[in-house]
Amino acid sequence: MNEIVNVIIFILIILGAFLNLVAAFGVIRLPDVYTRNHAASKATTLGISAILLATFLYYYLEVGHFNARILLAIVFLFLTSPVSGHLINRAAYYSGVPLWEKSVRDELKTEKKQQL
Amino acid sequence: MKTKENDIILQTCTKVVLFIIILFSVHSFFAGHYEPGGGFIGGLMTSGALVLLLIAYDKKTVAKILPIDYKIMIAVGLLFAVGTAAGAIFFNVPFLTHAFGHIDLPILGDTSLHTATLFDLGVYLVVIGVTMTIIQTIGEDE
């Protein structure tokens, strides 16, 4: 039982750290704001949630302390991180940041012309 | 771009997240005696929730939801702090001496009550009042 719990916690922490590393690589490697934001806001949300879940499981199963604040933090991150990504992207689009030159589709363009 | 903005995602998210933030701030306010937390952090977090409301909606809507004069809130908080400090004088003990005890409340049972919580409530109200006064005075410079 104890070993299984340790292995699950180990896997969750490694997975979370790996996802955050992938997100950091995405921010460096991807060509424009929108794809970079896409990498950062998705992968880090899942990565940090995995690390927090591993922390919660460790304190609950090894120490015997039910820490509800960690669960609340996971819910909070899942709610707010995509919304902040959306708001950053929208602000970038409406202030005229160009898309990557190889992008093929921009369906918001007509809408933007009408608003301007 | 001064056209009508469509902020529905931010506003819907704010409606859910606001209650989580306020609940957490009240929790850290009451946990301040035994765990990290207290009046200052709780007040800052509550005013953070109110600032989120100000970002998602405009100032008139927030004033309609919460018709509070934050300058009066500062005065009430200072009154709480001075009141709990000055209450000690009537019991022939030095200024700022606090009292505590275990009291059997009707529903809650055995509760340990401490007058430092009332002092902390004063700090809480003052922090909310000062933060919101600063932000609202900066915000309305038209």
Side-chain angles (χ1 to χ4, degrees):
Chain A
M1 178 62 196
N2 215 2
E3 286 305 310
I4 300 173
V5 167
N6 273 338
V7 167
I8 290 173
I9 290 168
F10 175 77
I11 290 173
L12 276 174
I13 286 181
I14 292 292
L15 181 74
F18 174 72
L19 280 172
N20 280 347
L21 187 70
V22 167
F25 276 129
V27 170
I28 295 171
R29 295 275 302 162
L30 288 172
D32 68 346
V33 175
Y34 310 103
T35 45
R36 258 180 251 149
N37 197 335
H38 153 85
S41 65
K42 285 181 183 65
T44 49
T45 310
L46 191 59
I48 292 173
S49 299
I51 293 176
L52 284 175
L53 191 64
T55 315
F56 172 76
L57 284 177
Y58 177 77
Y59 276 102
Y60 184 46
L61 297 172
E62 302 278 321
V63 185
H65 177 227
F66 187 90
N67 197 341
R69 274 175 287 185
I70 297 179
L71 296 180
L72 196 68
I74 294 174
V75 172
F76 193 82
L77 270 175
F78 260 109
L79 276 175
T80 53
S81 174
V83 175
S84 63
H86 157 77
L87 287 173
I88 291 170
N89 258 357
R90 201 179 69 154
Y93 190 84
Y94 282 123
S95 58
V97 177
L99 273 71
W100 185 34
E101 62 265 20
K102 288 183 191 164
S103 309
V104 289
R105 189 182 282 187
D106 187 4
E107 284 174 345
L108 209 58
K109 199 182 250 173
T110 53
E111 190 77 17
K112 194 187 172 191
K113 282 229 177 80
Q114 280 173 4
Q115 285 200 352
L116 286 171
Chain B
M1 183 171 329
K2 282 287 170 194
T3 49
K4 190 180 149 221
E5 289 222 39
N6 188 6
D7 269 345
I8 192 151
I9 294 180
L10 178 62
Q11 288 176 352
T12 312
C13 185
T14 300
K15 277 175 198 160
V16 180
V17 159
L18 185 80
F19 291 104
I20 298 179
I21 302 176
I22 287 186
L23 198 71
F24 190 61
S25 75
V26 170
H27 163 76
S28 60
F29 169 71
F30 279 112
H33 202 76
Y34 296 107
E35 285 172 36
F40 186 75
I41 290 180
L44 270 185
M45 224 181 286
T46 307
S47 52
L50 297 178
V51 169
L52 179 66
L53 204 62
L54 275 174
I55 289 173
Y57 298 90
D58 55 342
K59 201 159 159 291
K60 257 180 213 158
T61 320
V62 176
K64 204 193 277 175
I65 297 168
L66 290 169
I68 300 169
D69 189 352
Y70 292 102
K71 292 188 262 327
I72 294 175
M73 200 179 213
I74 300 174
V76 171
L78 286 174
L79 210 64
F80 262 104
V82 173
T84 47
I89 294 177
F90 298 109
F91 297 98
N92 281 328
V93 283
F95 194 68
L96 270 171
T97 305
H98 285 286
F100 63 94
H102 290 266
I103 295 166
D104 265 326
L105 290 178
I107 299 166
L108 300 171
D110 182 31
T111 318
S112 67
L113 296 176
H114 201 298
T115 51
T117 313
L118 289 175
F119 190 80
D120 231 16
L121 185 68
V123 175
Y124 181 79
L125 292 176
V126 169
V127 169
I128 294 177
V130 168
T131 318
M132 294 312 289
T133 308
I134 289 172
I135 287 170
Q136 287 195 341
T137 13
I138 292 172
E140 60 176 9
D141 58 354
E142 290 129 20

